[in-house]
Amino acid sequence: MANHKSSIKRIRQTESRRLRNRYYAKTARNAVRRLRAMTDKTEAAAAYIKVSSLLDRLAGKGTISKNKAANLKSSLSRHVNKLNAA
């Protein structure tokens, strides 16, 4: 167990950040899952804008890496574009 005041505070901060990051990462995964399940083009296009914004915010804060956010956005945009052809 930590003995210094600063290390005790650091443990508290790390735990709260971990829980916050876990919550937002799970929320993003669910949003991506919902978007992949959509079959309507207009509905999916509207949802894509919100999901990509969420992914960008999480990448900016470091919850997920910028590369992962870019890969997810790319695959989701391909999905939305395929809905148009189908």
Side-chain angles (χ1 to χ4, degrees):
M1 183 62 196
N3 292 321
H4 292 84
K5 251 182 161 178
S6 60
S7 57
I8 293 170
K9 179 179 177 181
R10 180 61 64 191
I11 290 169
R12 279 198 320 266
Q13 288 175 331
T14 304
E15 179 64 14
S16 62
R17 279 197 195 107
R18 185 183 71 82
L19 293 174
R20 191 177 313 122
N21 287 343
R22 233 174 94 189
Y23 169 76
Y24 282 117
K26 182 68 173 175
T27 303
R29 278 198 303 273
N30 287 335
V32 167
R33 215 173 276 137
R34 274 194 297 275
L35 181 57
R36 283 195 179 127
M38 289 183 184
T39 54
D40 181 34
K41 166 77 174 169
T42 55
E43 188 181 324
Y48 173 74
I49 294 169
K50 291 181 181 178
V51 171
S52 66
S53 170
L54 173 68
L55 292 172
D56 283 336
R57 258 182 287 137
L58 292 179
K61 291 182 180 180
T63 303
I64 61 174
S65 73
K66 288 180 192 276
N67 208 12
K68 180 180 176 85
N71 289 338
L72 283 171
K73 283 170 37 179
S74 173
S75 70
L76 289 174
S77 72
R78 279 194 316 242
H79 170 71
V80 171
N81 290 335
K82 275 185 198 171
L83 291 178
N84 193 20

